[in-house]
Amino acid sequence: MTLDLFDNPPQTGGRQVLGPQSCVLRGLALPMEHVLVEAIASIERVSPFRHMVTPGGFTMSVALSNCGDLGWTTDASGYRYTSIDPLTQEPWPAMPAAFRQLVQEATLAAGFEGFDPDACLLNRYRPGARMSLHQDKNERDLTQPIVSVSLGIPATFLFGGLRRKDPAQRVPLLHGDVVVWGGVDRMRYHGIVPLKEAAHPLLGAQRINFTFRKAG
Ligand code: SIN
Ligand code: FE2
């Protein structure tokens, strides 16, 4: 079951509470949009977006890359963090300063000061791409929050409970929005419904989401 959109209306600016320790910071990344897009382009030149295969043998509709000391990968043998990009056999590109700056602002606004991520996973969605409900549980320290930035075309974020079958809020995420969840909300199921056809002035027909974690 999913709740209606109007149970959780989008707001412009400010902070939309999702749970006791989770919120959307509307438009927080907007002032940095150009530097963020440039940073993503330079990451992509080192570690290109690629479609990975799940342990169950499915090719993901979302294309992935990473930056930072550790990167999340999946293949036939499982999900894990690695310091080497399996595609290039080189380290993942460094986390850009602008990314760290945004994390600082987001964690200050959301009440998770001191968060020091070592992993940033970039997800590229084209229209039709989706991410099914899952928990983020490959990180060593599950007390650390997750910071998730959205750029490009809109998406609907599903934010559920601690059990897969719990009802999920449908949260519209727009260019520049930042979601933070941690503490008692850290293990909540979440996902993205298939993206509708759309084009964004800066990014075209795609959504780039990047998420920061303390993985190691
Ligand atoms: C994720 O769960 O890693 C991605 C969520 C999103 O694309 O907003
Ligand atoms: Fe996730």
Side-chain angles (χ1 to χ4, degrees), residues 68-138:
D69 290 345
L70 292 170
W72 188 87
T73 66
T74 173
D75 61 19
S77 59
Y79 305 122
R80 63 192 170 280
Y81 282 94
T82 64
S83 54
I84 298 293
D85 177 348
L87 187 67
T88 64
Q89 294 296 321
E90 298 284 340
W92 299 103
M95 210 181 279
F99 278 25
R100 292 200 174 275
Q101 160 93 39
L102 182 57
V103 168
Q104 285 264 314
E105 289 178 25
T107 48
L108 190 66
F112 290 104
E113 293 96 326
F115 175 53
D116 184 22
D118 54 14
C120 175
L121 168 63
L122 295 92
N123 297 308
R124 188 195 64 203
Y125 298 75
R126 306 271 196 212
R130 64 193 290 265
M131 194 169 291
S132 51
L133 271 186
H134 65 279
Q135 289 173 302
D136 289 2
K137 53 184 179 190
N138 301 126

